[in-house]
Each structure stands twice: as structure tokens, then as C-alpha cells.
Amino acid sequence: MAVNVANEGLNSCAGCEIAILNLGETLLDLLPRINFVHIPVLMDHKHFGQLGDKKHLDIPKATVGLLSGGIKNEEHLEVALEMRKKCDILIALGTCATHGGIPALLNSFTNEEMFDQYYSTESTDPGAKVPTKGVPPLLDRCYALDEHIKVDIYLPGCPPHPDLIGAAILALLDGETPELPFKSVCDTCPTKRLGKGAVTDIKRAVESPQFDPEKPIDDMRCLLEQGYLCMGPVTRAGCAGANGEAPRCIVARVPCRGCYGPVKQKGNQLLDMLNALASNGIDLSKLPDRDSLLRFSGAHNRLVVKQGKNIRR
Amino acid sequence: MGRTINIQPLSRIEGHASIEIKLDDAGNVADAITHFTSMRGFEKFVEGKPAEEVTRIVTRICGICPWHHHMSSVKAVDACFGAEVAPTGSLLRECMQNMAHIHDKILHFYFLAAPDFVLGPDADYSVRNVIGIANAAPDLARQVIRMRQKGQMMMEKFAGKVIHPIAGVPGGFSKPMDEGQRKEMIADTEELLEFAKFSMKHAKEEIFPKYLDLVTTLGTITTGFIGTVDEHGSLNFYDGKLRLMKPDGSFDDFATEEYLDHIAERTMDISYGKFPYAKAWNEGFSMDLDAPKGIYRANCLARINCCDQISTPLAQKELEEFRSKFGRPAQHTLLYHWARLIELVYACEKTLELLNNPAITGKETRYTVAPKAGRGVAHVEAPRGTLIHDYTTDENGCIKTANLIVGTTHNLAPISMSVKQAAKMLIKDGHVDETILNKIEMSVRAYDP
């Protein structure tokens, strides 16, 4: 018997849903065992009845709920609560759902500051006002799902690697609880580590690290040891997939930026990274911007506004 | 006032929107309003961030077309820093940017739009989707799923990350392409081109003829168009001048940096999204169906209308056939689907052309750049339309201000008008059913928002 599955995307970009599709034929082969009951990106089941005449938002009951995106407006919250109510097992899909993701960078600013900027750009007609009709009011900040609802399974990644999504779905279909190991990106990274070098500066990503393109990744020296701010040590592994490849950013020869969130669900990428840098003797005053270390995990009160000034915890 | 119908959420689209249809006492459409409900604040929160990092942040505006945000952003940062771009890096960027159009068009045509045509607008919602297609036409579905995945995975394999890419860097591209990778990508793209040709033929023979009535009426409005052309007036996705065409087919060409002289954005109380219009036409902004003012459209139909020709042979042949049938500019909204398939053929041909350029395997793909104060305005053609990134940086090379006009934003006014046109055409005397509501959504889906 097929398992009912529901999906919604909240304060998100649809990248997680595309990652599901990137399972390709694996997904096709899983289809006989999956019955999608609600997935707006692919299917026309509506919130207020198919004729749009119902009063209350309704999502069908499902065994598994895949919920992507954080919670930033009242509609997101309503949908998240309904998903929680109707799904036996709720998966927080992607780093926006698990830690706020990129959109939680807005937590360093007030909504007023955002609206002031957005409605007064150079191309915007003067006198613009904040819309009020038929648009969901914003919440004070962008929340990870577990700040409002209970999450059963965390599947971070921006987006999560299709291998992880596939493995999680398979495990659930077989009645098991999928688990992503608490390893760091460095644990899956083949670059050469020679111990800390003479680097005391942080290099910005405006020049190429040293590597021989003719040679495999494991011939390249660790990017952190080369002086680049690589977030590998404080970021959860997973992007390399299940087939023993290198972390995705390392394949492109660029440093990791932390898109799977902290290694432990409740970890703090900013504090952990500052510690890692300090213990390597790196001058922290050279960091151009500290908020960027929380660019994927700014929910859970990590990035906050206080009296118009950005502070971090 | 009679009842109100809420279509929520709009489905088989990428973004977040809803439609509110207000009926009068006689059950006819008094008004139909499209609400664009997403508000994430990218232009605000990139402030203060190092510009070279922003190229890896703005990708999250769209998980379907992150490459296009990545490329537009990288080009804008190049301009802020006054950076020279390594020629091989530039070729690699253009190649990836064209490649990223391929999977996108397969996704939209087959996964999002096709259920309405293959299974019919009146099929039950539970089967009117790509899974329904998988059951009704399993061989086609398997082929479609394989091809879309191939379009994504060949990019992931080479460039590291296909959803939310990272390989574009100020000054070029993060790594070179070796001969083995080039050959493999040529083989994959050739296969995709064959699939594109099949798709074009299949749609022209099996799909469009069946729905000609709908194609020539549903959501049809009369507007101008925006697109990008090279110095010869040929279609280009990666670079070139902007062309803003009036409804009568006359046009002005201008450099990206001059966009503020030609385009402005109106705000309305019903939508977080803004409504761009052609300021240069000096007629203001109105979405009145009978007398629209300043309204132009973006995305594939717009580009196909704007270009004088297409530089690749098969797509050019398709363009000629399209023009002989529908004229220039073609206005019927559902022709977006046809134009999208012409662009699918073009994207495959253009990718092959770039991969066959021996310079693409050059070893030096990236020049070192120096962060500094500056202004950078750049654009590319994203699948959903002209994508403008405009940044100002401070002396540390961090973002002071950002202004983004993204593909679908250009189409918010046209989408709203098409919805109203479709609702007025289809809802009469209080009769509303699921098929009618789905057809109204089809007028939105054509724009692939």
C-alpha cells in the first residue's frame, strides 16, 4: 500500500522541491509506493477547496509531510500548523526549515527597515506604501520550523542532496527512522591537511586558491589552511552525497559557506567558527562581516535586531 | 456584491501567489485580483555583506533558476570592482548560463504545464499532474524525467553544485573544464538537443493543434515586450543590450546601465511584489484591459518577439515558422509555451556552440580582483525574463545598496491582466467549476512565474 505524502514550501525558493525531482528515475521507481496528496509545486490540490469556497485551510491527512522553508508570515504559520496537524511524521526539509536558511539573514533587520528600503529603491515610484490587502502580514522574524511546531526529522541542506532525500524516503517507507550522521563537512573532505600553517589573515574569496586543475581534489591543500574562510569544520556533512564524492563547494574549488547548518542541530556556526579561527591563530578583526557566518542558521534567535543595531548571540 | 472565490495557492508554479475573484450579484466577474505574496527582503539583507559573497546568497531567490541570479550578480560585482574577467571564465559562465535554461524549460513544459494539455484542463486534479502523465504515458514520462535530470546533473558534475551554484566568481569562473568533461557534456547536450527537437515536433503535431481555440483566446492581452539581443539583433541569454518593444512592434535598444531611464516600478496595495512598467513610453501605468498603459511582458515569448533573428540554425527555422503563423509581436499568452520550446532548441544549440569553442578549456579561468567602492548594473536573461542586479559597494567592497528586478516581476502586471481577462471570459452568470478555475490558472502558468 502506498504511503500518503504531503509537501509545502514556506519562506523558500523551491530548490528543495527541485532537489526531490533531481532524484530522477529513482523517484519514478519510488512512485508506486508514494501517493502525493498535496504538493502545490506539482499538483493542484487547493487550501480552501477546489472551488475556493471553503472557510478553513485544509491539507489532506498524510503519513509523511515534507515541509520546506522557514516561517516568516501568518500564512506560513497557518500552513505549518495544518501540516503538523495532518502529518504523522513531519520532515523539516532543507536548511530554511531546520535553521532559517538564507532568508533568516533578514533577522538582523526590522520589517520596517526592509520595507523602507524595498519600497524606495531607485526604480520604485515615489510615495509607495506597504501593501495591506490580500497579502499575509509578516511576523517579527523568520523562524525555523521547530520554533513553532514539533519536527520529527531534520533534513538540512541548501538544498539537501537528492541521495539524502531518497534515503530518508526509503527508510520511512520501510518503517525505519532515517538518520543523518552528525559529521562535519571536513569529515567528508578529501583535501590535504598539513596542520596549521603560517596563515594569520583571512583571505576574501576574490582570488583563486592554489590547486592543480589536472590533479584530483585530494591533491589540493585544505582551503582553511590556505587562509580562506571555509566553514567546513562547523557545518554538517551531507552535500557530498552517498557515493563518496567530495563536498560540493570543494568540487568547484571554492570554500564551504555552511549551507547544511551546524554539525549538531543546536550548534552555533558563528561561535564555533570564531573558535576554530582563533585556535588557528587567525586575526578575527580581519573578518569583513560576522553575520555572514550565520547566513544559513540565523533563526533560533541567532541573528537579532536590538534598538536598530545588529547584535548576535 | 456576490461571492468571492479564492484560488489558493496557485499551483504548478514556482512562486507564491493567490487569486481573488469577486462576482457581482448576477454572478459575473466584478474584479479578479492576483496577489503576489512572497516578501523575503533580499535587497535589504545583502546590505553590509561582502559583494563577492552576495553572488552566493542571491541564488536563493529562486531554486529553479539560481544560475541566472548567480550570473547576473557576478557580472554586477565585476562592474562594482572594475574587474577584468578572464576570457575562458566568461565562456564558462555563458556556457553554464545557457545550459541552465535547458532543464528549466523541460521542467516547465513537461512537469508544470503539460498536465493541462496532455490530460486536459478538465481532468481531475488528482491525475492532472506529472504523476498522472507518468501513469498515462510511462515511456514519455521516463524520457522526460531522465532528460531533465541529465540537464541538471551534467552541470552538478562539472560546476560542483547545480542548485544554488558557486562556481561563478568575480573575475571569472572558479575552475577550468578539462577535455574529458567537455566531451562528456557535448555528448549529453547532443542528446538533449535531440530531445528538444522531439519536444518541438511533438508539441506542434500533438498538443498545440488540439488547443488552438484556447491558445488564441485564453489570457490574451495586448502589451509591449522586453528582451536581450546582441549587436546584430540576435537572441542572447547571457549578454547584450536590452530591447523594449511597444505593442506595435517598434522598439528602443539601450544598455543595462540605462534601465532606470526606461523602466520604473509601481506599487499596489494588493501585492508585495512591485509592478514594473515602461516609464520611457511616457503614458503612465494602467492595467485596464481595454486601454493598458506602460505594460510590457518578459520571458520567452517576449524574447522571441524582440529578437530580429536567432543565431543557431534549428531555432531560427522554428522562429521563422512561428512568425509566419503568429506575426511579430505575437500577443497570445499561451504562445509562451511554443516560444519556450523554441528557446529549448536554442539553449541546446548555443550550449553546443560554446562547448565546441576550443578556448573553453583554457587553463586561466579567473583573475584576482580587488574589492572597492563602485556601482555595478548587470543583467542576464533568466528563463522567467530579464534579470537585473544593480549594486553599489563601499570602499571595503561590501554592499551599500541593492536593487533587483527579477524575471517574473516584469510579468506581474501582465499576469494580473491575463487572469482578469480569463476570469471575465470564462465565468458567466455564476457558473464556476474546477475546469474554469484551472483554465484561469493556465493563463498564469503560461508565464511560468
Side-chain angles (χ1 to χ4, degrees), chain A residues 164-186:
Chain A
L164 303 184
I165 301 174
I169 293 175
L170 260 181
L172 287 169
L173 289 176
D174 295 337
E176 294 160 12
T177 306
E179 245 185 295
L180 185 63
F182 291 106
K183 286 198 292 192
S184 77
V185 168
C186 294

Side-chain angles (χ1 to χ4, degrees), chain B residues 174-221:
Chain B
S174 68
K175 61 176 280 197
M177 181 185 287
D178 68 31
E179 188 54 23
Q181 288 163 333
R182 189 182 76 91
K183 285 202 172 121
E184 202 177 326
M185 275 193 268
I186 287 177
D188 284 344
T189 312
E190 278 171 347
E191 205 181 328
L192 285 161
L193 176 60
E194 286 309 308
F195 181 68
K197 283 153 65 178
F198 158 79
S199 300
M200 190 79 244
K201 185 165 178 287
H202 180 70
K204 284 197 298 190
E205 287 172 3
E206 308 290 332
I207 293 177
F208 297 140
K210 267 200 257 179
Y211 293 98
L212 216 55
D213 275 1
L214 215 50
V215 169
T216 52
T217 54
L218 186 70
T220 291
I221 53 176

Side-chain angles (χ1 to χ4, degrees), chain A residues 50-51, chain B residues 121 123-125 128 432-439:
Chain A
Q50 295 309 103
L51 289 174
Chain B
D124 188 76
Y125 84 87
R128 192 183 56 218
V432 181
D433 59 24
E434 285 187 39
T435 303
I436 287 177
L437 295 183
N438 185 48
K439 283 182 178 169

Side-chain angles (χ1 to χ4, degrees), chain A residues 22 44 46 118 248 252 295, chain B residues 12 53 148 160 274 441:
Chain A
N22 280 359
D44 303 332
K46 302 298 181 189
Y118 180 70
R248 303 315 310 167
R295 74 167 75 159
Chain B
R12 288 185 278 132
E53 298 296 328
R148 198 203 64 82
K274 292 184 270 196
E441 270 196 83

